[in-house]
């Protein structure tokens, strides 16, 4: 037997104001109801302030305070070259000491660096490129081999008393490449022949003298083998000068 449910009848209003009695008046946006005890603050949005903040004006950087001491900003930051370990003043002084073969300041070369040698080697490769020769890879490779050769020869001569490390050896060979760099620049304006060969001999002797004296004075124990060290340096710079001649 089916169970019956009493459902109240649905009455539809006959007038056109359907649901008018259930309609609420509209309220302003972002406004809380009046019956609420807590009020939510409404933040105003100013278009002019946003436009002023997004304009392309000069930025102002505030300084940051470190501890209880003074403040540091961009003005107190060290230069970029100094952060990279490139001392331009030291490179300039070492270059001037190489330019005068009769008055060499060996104390400037006690701290080796590779910034100056890299500049000289790239300049040498650039002058060779202007002469129609691409020797960048050859120059860098020969410098590495020459540094290893001179390091091994010097330490074999001195034995346990030798205090020449490989880093300083690369630095000295690179700085003493300055006469060969000058030779490659002069060779661009001179015809080949006897003149360039005579100049090559002068510049090779110049580089050999400077490198030998720096090695002997900085190593402090190679004075008795000065001739053999000079012969090794002569072979190294004569090898680089062949790139200029041929």
């Amino acid at each position: 037997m089916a169970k019956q449910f009493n459902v109240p009848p649905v009455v539809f209003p006959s007038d056109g104001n359907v649901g008018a009695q259930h309609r609420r008046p509209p309220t302003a946006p972002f406004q809380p109801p009046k019956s609420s005890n807590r009020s939510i603050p409404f933040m105003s949005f100013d278009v002019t302030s946003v436009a002023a903040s997004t304009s392309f004006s000069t930025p102002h950087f505030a300084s940051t305070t470190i501890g209880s001491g003074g403040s540091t900003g961009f003005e107190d930051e060290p230069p970029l070259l100094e952060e990279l370990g490139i001392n331009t003043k030291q490179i300039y002084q070492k270059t001037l000491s190489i330019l005068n073969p009769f008055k060499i300041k060996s104390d400037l070369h006690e701290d080796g660096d590779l910034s100056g040698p890299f500049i000289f080697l790239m300049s040498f490769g650039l002058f060779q490129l202007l002469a129609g020769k691409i020797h960048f890879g050859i120059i860098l490779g020969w410098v590495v081999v020459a540094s290893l050769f001179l390091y091994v020869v010097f330490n074999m001569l001195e034995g346990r008393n030798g205090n020449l490390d490989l880093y300083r050896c690369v630095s000295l060979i690179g700085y003493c490449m300055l006469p060969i760099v000058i030779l490659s620049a002069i060779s661009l304006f001179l015809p080949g022949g006897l003149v360039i060969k005579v100049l090559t001999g002068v510049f090779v002797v110049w580089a050999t003298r400077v490198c030998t004296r720096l090695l002997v004075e900085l190593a402090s124990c190679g004075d008795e083998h000065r001739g053999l060290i000079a012969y090794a340096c002569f072979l190294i710079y004569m090898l680089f000068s062949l790139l200029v001649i041929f």
Side-chain angles (χ1 to χ4, degrees), residues 13-20 23:
S14 58
D15 52 355
N17 299 329
V18 180
R23 188 178 303 168

Side-chain angles (χ1 to χ4, degrees), residues 173-224:
I173 290 180
Y175 273 107
C176 295
M177 279 288 296
L178 181 59
I180 308 300
V181 176
I182 298 175
L183 174 65
S184 64
I186 295 176
S187 65
L188 297 175
F189 307 99
L190 293 178
L194 183 61
V195 178
I196 190 65
K197 292 180 181 178
V198 172
L199 282 178
T200 300
V202 173
F203 282 96
V204 168
V205 171
W206 177 6
T208 302
R209 174 183 171 80
V210 174
C211 187
T212 303
R213 184 170 177 179
L214 287 176
L215 283 172
V216 171
E217 292 185 1
L218 291 178
S220 69
C221 57
D223 197 8
E224 56 185 4

